[in-house]
Amino acid sequence: MKRRSILGAVAAASLSLSLGMGAAQAQDKKFTIALIPGLTTDAFYITMQKGAQAAADALGVELVFQGAPDFNPVTQVPVLDAVIARAPDAILIAPTDTTQLVEPLRKAHDAGIPVITVDTFIGTGQYQTGAGDADFPLSYIASDNVLGGKIAARALAAAIGGEGKVYVSNVKPGISTTDQREAGFKQAMAEEFPNVTVLETQFNENDANKAASQLQGVLAREADLKGVFGANLFSALGAANGVQQAGQTGNVKVVAFDAPGSIVDNLSTGLVDVAIAQHPAEIGYYGVVSAYAHLTGNSIPVSIGTGFTIIDKNNVSDPNVAKYVYSE
């Protein structure tokens, strides 16, 4: 996935084109772009909305933010259908399943509504290839989640001294981002840290209480457990709470993916050792910019990658780091 260089290029090119030659088209019509998050209550998506709104304000676009309260295709598809019925000029969406959202999103495509996926993807995430049944979205804008998993593995291995037993606390199979984070984590551990044993993944269905119970169950079976990687917010919060409830804070290290205020507070207290912060505001911003560029006749990349910031107790107070803490 291309990273910051192309992200910056898209921003500069899209803004200049849209405010220049594209502005003439925009004067005749105010575009409406819909953003459908994975769920509306997660700080990650709240922060993404703020970035998207900033771009919409700069470009004179109406942004519609509509989603479900939980990360589930059963609840997301009706929201998507309602958005399609409103016929926006473009849809940005974080699909909640790689396969179950393909046909619902095809309805938008068949209705002539351009689709861009943000954070998560459908199919393989390889778009505009002419192959497969899920290549119709124009672009995928997200963090490089395999790389993020590798970063988490290196952070956890460093925290436990390069040896011992660890496991991944994850949501469920079939979610593109968390699948990739787990894969990257396991790949880095296998290739770089031969003295670390990765135990069976525990799937918690996005339930922090379940993740906490699972941590205690793993600890009961593996008394020498050294660490856990929480592949998303609820996995990490639950794992940290489980460590605390077991009286093992500081002994069992926790690396969290994502950095809302609740995770950052846990960094300060020692419940969480490292947080891998994505840049969701950038994802939302460049989603709107890319959609606008397409609507005004400009080409956009089929993939745009955003970066990460590693946060721990040593840098959490640094303003250059703190700005990447998610809004809540």
Side-chain angles (χ1 to χ4, degrees):
M1 180 180 287
K2 299 179 182 179
R3 299 193 59 75
R4 283 189 173 276
S5 59
I6 199 159
L7 186 150
V10 169
S14 298
L15 282 169
S16 62
L17 285 167
S18 52
L19 296 176
M21 59 178 284
Q25 295 171 271
Q27 288 173 358
D28 298 327
K29 178 180 180 181
K30 182 172 183 176
F31 295 115
T32 298
I33 298 173
L35 171 58
I36 303 174
L39 71 162
T40 55
T41 55
D42 190 319
F44 176 90
Y45 292 113
I46 293 170
T47 307
M48 182 188 293
Q49 179 192 11
K50 290 186 176 182
Q53 189 63 60
D57 292 343
L59 295 169
V61 168
E62 179 185 0
L63 180 71
V64 175
F65 183 76
Q66 188 172 346
D70 57 344
F71 195 97
N72 191 323
V74 173
T75 52
Q76 188 179 49
V77 169
V79 173
L80 172 59
D81 288 342
V83 168
I84 293 172
R86 296 177 61 175
D89 295 290
I91 291 176
L92 310 176
I93 184 170
T96 51
D97 191 272
T98 54
T99 57
Q100 294 184 54
L101 266 292
V102 173
E103 291 308 315
L105 279 171
R106 188 182 299 282
K107 294 179 184 177
H109 174 71
D110 291 346
I113 303 172
V115 175
I116 294 173
T117 64
V118 290
D119 180 40
T120 52
F121 57 77
I122 56 173
T124 64
Q126 302 297 313
Y127 299 153
Q128 300 295 305
T129 63
D133 61 355
D135 79 322
F136 55 85
L138 297 176
S139 184
Y140 172 47
I141 304 172
S143 310
D144 182 337
N145 285 284
V146 173
L147 175 60
K150 292 179 179 180
I151 292 171
R154 293 164 188 152
L156 186 55
I160 66 173
E163 61 181 7
K165 296 176 181 178
V166 302
Y167 78 95
V168 179
S169 179
N170 206 343
V171 185
K172 62 180 179 180
I175 300 172
S176 61
T177 49
T178 49
D179 284 351
Q180 289 185 323
R181 291 168 201 165
E182 180 180 344
F185 179 88
K186 289 181 174 178
Q187 181 183 345
M189 285 300 193
E191 294 177 352
E192 302 174 28
F193 305 102
N195 294 323
V196 175
T197 300
V198 180
L199 304 173
E200 181 181 1
T201 298
Q202 302 295 304
F203 293 106
N204 55 58
E205 300 293 331
N206 229 23
D207 183 335
N209 291 328
K210 186 174 181 179
S213 296
Q214 289 171 333
L215 183 287
Q216 294 180 63
V218 173
L219 194 57
R221 298 189 299 272
E222 307 285 350
D224 53 349
L225 180 71
K226 289 288 192 69
V228 56
F229 167 43
N232 76 334
L233 168 62
F234 299 106
S235 300
L237 283 175
N241 288 337
V243 169
Q244 182 182 41
Q245 292 161 10
Q248 293 297 315
T249 301
N251 296 324
V252 178
K253 305 297 185 180
V254 179
V255 171
F257 206 96
D258 285 328
S262 52
I263 288 291
V264 172
D265 290 344
N266 283 342
L267 285 170
S268 301
T269 62
L271 287 179
V272 173
D273 296 275
V274 178
I276 312 298
Q278 301 183 81
H279 298 170
E282 292 179 359
I283 296 172
Y285 187 93
Y286 290 110
V288 170
V289 168
S290 297
Y292 189 89
H294 172 76
L295 292 169
T296 52
N298 300 294
S299 62
I300 61 174
V302 294
S303 65
I304 301 171
T306 56
F308 300 99
T309 298
I310 300 174
I311 308 178
D312 59 28
K313 64 181 181 181
N314 296 316
N315 66 5
V316 68
S317 299
D318 184 335
N320 292 322
V321 172
K323 66 182 180 181
Y324 292 111
V325 176
Y326 306 168
S327 302
E328 290 187 280

